[in-house]
């Protein structure tokens, strides 16, 4: 049960703006773009998805007016929270009711496990009115269970047939939408009428491609982190005594870190993809931070802010190799994880595993602090990934930089004082009140999902495009889930998965960042964007992410002025 604050009450009453085209909802029909992507896809994808391989990209256009039958549609939240999820459900609900007031929406409880265990609830207007435009996934809960075994697929089939579902919306990231593609194929093979539709959700911003401009939740998370980073920058400038090492969520890709750097202008920002491209070692990174601290100390500046993407550690080539070796060793089917768990002493765990690594990985592992060594040995997530959110890279860097500075002090090349504060921002950005952008984007995504189910289209992801234009001019369509697939190693095996998008080092947002960042090292050109605005002028309330703006507009430099 939630107690609504007065701001939440005002948000419940907020009416998201809709793209103009959705105003003719009852008259919209799909228009397919003839194209053959079979040749571009890896062979296992073509073979595994024989029933959905021929799907075409589509958009919706006004067409013949039809009568609409009542539809039953199930929804599930899969994976980490992202602001705007409740608006996907609101958009779906409102669109379905408009198409036919007899339509019903069912929510599967606590993630995909709710499908397997057939636990659901009907979402009525009365229930939904307490969740519109609010953050979190608490209406029905979320979870990370993966539907993968034959029994689980069968259980899912039974659950959707039991509720006579015409559609099932999977609101998730790359892994969850990969699951959606498999479910769509499976349901078709079993002659089941339930259409599976994916919704691009993740604060990480890595579910992004030709058809998906951004995943929902990214904007709210980045604005929330940028607000806090902005406050830290001002605090830093006031007390002038700390170096803040701020790790930002985002799993592998550094999209969040890039967006926050563009919003706030910290002294130093690492972008994982650049580290990988430049083949930087952990020592190089430590040296880069240490050099900056020494330079600033010469100017009597013993403070500053450093942004570190959550996935940095995985991009450092020697650490990446180490993680890959550990992943293979610790894949749940193998006995090493059990051996490690059985040893109570940290040093015994480390001693056991280190002998199993290659010589370069042994060297790399030995460079890390014991805390980080243990964090790298922890269990994997259900998809076999290292849980990077749990690796305290910010503390590792502080420890290594402290050692390096102590060395430099001895040689007289560093004269300052180093006092560091580790911070990690992640969970606080996932369930907060969605920005207007996310509220509107999600509401539209839900509408498009309703149109897809109404048109009996399965294995598609709902798409809303042209997001840098005013909401009224946004476009709507859908892209086949399999079109986004590639092959990746999971739990030690090559599997078809929807590709994660990494920061494009040739793209405009990164170019603008690299053009500006050198100035930020010594000059304190800090920018404090303040909290998300919900009421007031549209240029303050409806701002889109800067990376999105730079990618799709003509900007060649930062779009707001510095405070100096
Ligand atoms: P999704 O990919 O499911 O959207 O989750 C993203 C994320 O918030 C990552 O940024 C983070 O690494 C991870 O979830 C944390 O997972 P958990 O919620 O299980 O701690």
């Amino acid at each position: 049960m939630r107690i609504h604050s007065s701001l939440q009450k005002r948000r419940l009453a907020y009416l998201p703006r809709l793209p103009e085209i959705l105003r003719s909802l009852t008259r919209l029909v799909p228009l397919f773009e003839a194209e053959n992507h079979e040749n571009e896809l890896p062979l296992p994808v073509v073979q595994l998805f024989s029933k959905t391989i021929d799907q075409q990209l589509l958009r919706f256009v006004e067409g013949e007016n039809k009568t609409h039958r009542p539809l039953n549609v199930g929804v599930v939240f899969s994976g980490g929270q992202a602001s705007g999820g409740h608006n996907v459900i609101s958009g779906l609900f409102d669109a379905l009711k408009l198409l036919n007031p007899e339509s019903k929406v069912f929510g599967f409880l606590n993630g995909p496990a709710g499908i397997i265990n057939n636990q659901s609830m009907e979402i009525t207007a009365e229930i939904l009115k307490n969740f519109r435009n609010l953050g979190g996934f608490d209406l029905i809960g979320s979870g990370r269970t993966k539907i993968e075994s034959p029994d689980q697929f069968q259980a899912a089939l039974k659950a959707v047939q039991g509720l006579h579902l015409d559609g099932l919306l999977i609101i998730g990231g790359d892994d969850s939408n990969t699951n959606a593609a498999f479910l769509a194929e499976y349901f078709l093979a079993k002659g089941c009428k339930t259409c599976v539709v994916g919704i691009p959700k993740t604060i990480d911003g890595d579910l992004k491609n030709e058809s998906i401009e951004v995943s929902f939740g990214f904007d709210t998370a980045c604005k929330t982190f940028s607000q806090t980073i902005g406050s830290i920058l001002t605090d830093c400038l006031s007390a002038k005594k700390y170096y803040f090492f701020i790790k930002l969520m985002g799993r592998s890709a550094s999209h969040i870190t890039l967006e926050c750097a563009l919003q706030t202008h910290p002294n130093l920002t690492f972008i994982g993809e650049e580290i990988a491209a430049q083949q930087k070692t952990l020592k190089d990174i430590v040296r880069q931070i240490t050099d900056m601290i020494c330079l600033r100390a010469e100017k009597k500046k013993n403070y500053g802010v450093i942004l570190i993407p959550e996935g940095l550690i995985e991009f450092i080539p020697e650490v990446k190799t180490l993680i890959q070796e550990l992943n293979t060793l610790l894949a749940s089917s193998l006995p090493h994880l059990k051996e490690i768990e059985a040893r109570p002493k940290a040093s015994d765990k480390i001693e056991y595993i280190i002998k199993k690594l290659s010589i370069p990985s042994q060297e790399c592992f030995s460079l890390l602090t014991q805390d980080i060594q243990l964090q790298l040995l922890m269990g994997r997530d259900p998809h076999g990934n290292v849980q990077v959110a749990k690796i305290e890279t910010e503390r590792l860097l502080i420890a290594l930089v402290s050692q390096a500075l102590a060395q430099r002090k001895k040689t007289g090349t560093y004269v300052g004082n180093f006092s560091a504060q580790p911070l990690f921002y992640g969970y606080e950005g996932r369930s907060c009140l969605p920005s207007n952008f996310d509220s509107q984007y999600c509401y539209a995504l839900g509408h498009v999902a309703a149109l897809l189910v109404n048109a009996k289209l399965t294995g598609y992801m709902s798409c809303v495009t042209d997001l840098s234009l005013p909401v009224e001019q946004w476009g709507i369509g859908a892209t086949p889930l399999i079109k986004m697939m590639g092959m990746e190693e999971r739990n030690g095996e090559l599997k078809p998965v929807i590709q994660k998008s990494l920061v494009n080092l040739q793209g405009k947002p990164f170019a603008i960042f690299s053009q500006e960042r050198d100035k930020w090292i010594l000059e304190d050109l800090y920018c404090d964007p303040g909290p998300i605005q919900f009421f007031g002028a549209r240029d303050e309330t409806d701002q889109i992410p800067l990376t999105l703006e730079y990618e799709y507009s003509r900007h060649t430099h930062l779009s707001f002025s510095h405070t100096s």
Side-chain angles (χ1 to χ4, degrees):
M1 238 288 274
R2 281 194 184 207
I3 307 295
H4 292 131
S5 65
S6 55
L7 177 59
Q8 283 178 321
K9 282 183 192 147
R10 287 188 72 188
R11 291 307 287 169
L12 288 171
Y14 171 73
L15 289 178
R17 285 153 61 209
L18 266 182
E20 194 64 46
I21 183 151
L22 284 172
R23 303 236 165 95
S24 8
L25 191 79
T26 52
R27 279 177 286 136
L28 294 179
V29 290
L31 180 73
F32 295 90
E33 281 178 26
E35 50 150 16
N36 181 356
H37 41 258
E38 202 167 309
N39 297 334
E40 301 150 22
L41 292 170
L43 192 61
V45 176
V46 178
Q47 287 165 342
L48 278 167
F49 294 91
S50 60
K51 302 239 173 293
T52 43
I53 195 74
D54 291 326
Q55 287 160 328
Q56 316 283 320
L57 272 175
L58 67 91
R59 58 201 165 91
F60 285 96
V61 291
E62 282 194 36
E64 202 185 314
N65 208 341
K66 284 190 189 157
T67 50
H68 303 285
R69 68 198 194 289
L71 298 170
N72 287 340
V73 181
V75 286
V76 66
F77 288 129
S78 183
Q81 285 67 253
S83 292
H86 292 143
N87 275 31
V88 175
I89 301 183
S90 313
L92 171 79
F93 184 93
D94 293 351
L96 287 175
K97 291 285 182 189
L98 236 151
L99 293 170
N100 188 311
E102 300 300 312
S103 294
K104 287 185 177 165
V105 175
F106 296 90
F108 285 103
L109 304 180
N110 305 319
I115 304 180
I116 298 167
N117 303 326
N118 200 3
Q119 291 170 329
S120 64
M121 63 181 242
E122 187 183 339
I123 300 173
T124 60
E126 194 54 28
I127 295 174
L128 197 54
K129 80 172 201 288
N130 289 317
F131 291 89
R132 287 175 184 268
N133 308 304
L134 297 195
F137 284 174
D138 49 321
L139 168 59
I140 49 175
S142 184
R144 289 198 183 276
T145 304
K146 200 174 173 193
I147 302 178
E148 51 187 353
S149 71
D151 286 353
Q152 290 172 327
F153 272 94
Q154 232 176 338
L157 180 69
K158 211 169 148 201
V160 299
Q161 285 179 329
L163 289 169
H164 305 286
L165 295 187
D166 298 283
L168 173 65
L169 246 67
I170 306 232
I171 304 177
D174 51 336
D175 282 323
S176 314
N177 277 291
T178 299
N179 237 213
F182 276 103
L183 269 183
E185 185 74 17
Y186 179 77
F187 288 167
L188 275 180
K190 295 289 169 192
C192 166
K193 68 166 180 176
T194 312
C195 300
V196 183
V197 174
I199 301 286
K201 169 238 69 165
T202 177
I203 65 161
D204 301 351
D206 57 2
L207 181 43
K208 174 183 168 116
N209 49 50
E210 284 165 2
S211 317
I212 312 294
E213 292 177 16
V214 71
S215 53
F216 83 75
F218 174 77
D219 181 59
T220 307
C222 290
K223 283 184 173 140
T224 305
F225 301 148
S226 297
Q227 172 199 350
T228 318
I229 297 166
S231 306
I232 290 289
L233 290 166
T234 309
D235 191 86
C236 194
L237 203 53
S238 313
K240 297 190 170 68
K241 62 176 179 181
Y242 292 126
Y243 269 98
F244 291 93
F245 285 62
I246 307 180
K247 184 176 75 166
L248 294 168
M249 228 182 213
R251 215 188 279 280
S252 309
S254 303
H255 297 291
I256 290 184
T257 302
L258 178 59
E259 173 70 23
C260 292
L262 289 165
Q263 298 263 3
T264 62
H265 320 168
N267 301 103
L268 191 56
T269 299
F270 290 100
I271 299 296
E273 291 80 345
E274 188 184 25
I275 299 291
Q278 297 177 342
Q279 297 276 301
K280 281 199 176 158
T281 62
L282 187 55
K283 280 188 185 150
D284 293 334
I285 292 169
V286 171
R287 194 176 313 114
Q288 195 178 341
I289 303 174
T290 315
D291 285 348
M292 181 193 77
I293 292 174
C294 291
L295 261 178
R296 286 179 64 84
E298 282 169 22
K299 306 250 176 249
K300 307 262 178 298
K301 292 182 176 186
N302 291 305
Y303 61 89
V305 172
I306 299 158
L307 296 191
I308 305 153
E310 181 179 70
L312 177 78
I313 193 127
E314 285 184 303
F315 279 103
I316 304 170
E318 81 256 30
V319 185
K320 186 176 178 190
T321 310
L322 167 69
I323 290 177
Q324 274 163 355
E325 286 184 29
L326 287 173
N327 278 351
T328 310
L329 285 168
L330 302 179
S332 48
S333 54
L334 297 173
H336 300 300
L337 200 53
K338 287 201 181 114
E339 285 286 343
I340 291 169
E341 277 162 8
R343 290 170 160 71
K345 275 175 71 186
S347 52
D348 291 345
K349 290 178 198 281
I350 291 163
E351 200 194 316
Y352 171 82
I353 204 74
I354 204 160
K355 290 186 199 138
K356 313 250 172 311
L357 298 169
S358 65
I359 302 291
S361 289
Q362 286 185 14
E363 279 166 18
C364 175
F365 200 60
S366 313
L367 270 182
L368 308 175
T369 57
Q370 194 185 68
D371 288 349
I372 302 290
Q373 289 175 332
L374 288 177
Q375 285 159 19
L376 283 174
L377 298 186
M378 278 184 316
R380 274 41 188 162
D381 72 9
H383 305 282
N385 304 319
V386 167
Q387 300 184 56
V388 276
K390 297 196 175 133
I391 297 175
E392 295 174 318
T393 325
E394 67 286 19
R395 290 182 191 272
L396 170 71
L397 290 177
I398 290 175
L400 299 178
V401 166
S402 302
Q403 286 167 14
L405 286 171
Q407 281 301 322
R408 292 202 193 184
K409 234 179 194 160
K410 277 191 204 151
T411 58
T413 47
Y414 171 57
V415 287
N417 303 310
F418 178 65
S419 181
Q421 299 277 2
L423 293 170
F424 170 40
Y425 300 145
Y427 296 99
E428 52 277 75
R430 305 199 307 180
S431 290
C432 36
L433 280 171
S435 62
N436 278 4
F437 173 77
D438 274 326
S439 299
Q440 289 164 158
Y441 181 37
C442 289
Y443 195 59
L445 285 169
H447 275 68
V448 178
L451 288 173
L452 288 167
V453 177
N454 188 50
K456 299 190 178 166
L457 293 166
T458 191
Y460 275 92
M461 180 171 279
S462 169
C463 298
V464 178
T465 58
D466 305 299
L467 298 170
S468 58
L469 298 176
V471 176
E472 289 70 20
Q473 293 169 40
W474 287 355
I476 56 166
T479 187
L481 289 167
I482 51 151
K483 200 172 144 41
M484 309 175 199
M485 295 248 181
M487 301 299 289
E488 262 177 38
E489 194 177 308
R490 293 292 156 95
N491 287 325
E493 271 178 68
L494 267 185
K495 296 247 170 87
V497 285
I498 289 183
Q499 295 295 280
K500 271 190 201 308
S501 128
L502 300 178
V503 167
N504 176 7
L505 301 180
Q506 266 67 54
K508 231 185 317 156
F510 183 78
I512 292 176
F513 161 73
S514 27
Q515 188 181 300
E516 300 288 324
R517 65 179 161 184
D518 286 351
K519 283 182 261 170
W520 302 344
I521 291 181
L522 280 181
E523 293 174 60
D524 300 332
L525 298 172
Y526 301 155
C527 186
D528 181 355
I532 294 176
Q533 298 297 303
F534 296 108
F535 309 104
R538 279 212 183 139
D539 60 348
E540 282 175 11
T541 57
D542 287 25
Q543 261 173 11
I544 65 170
L546 283 179
T547 38
L548 194 61
E549 195 177 308
Y550 296 153
E551 259 163 56
Y552 292 91
S553 71
R554 286 165 198 242
H555 285 287
T556 51
H557 55 273
L558 283 175
S559 66
F560 45 86
S561 52
H562 301 127
T563 50
S564 49

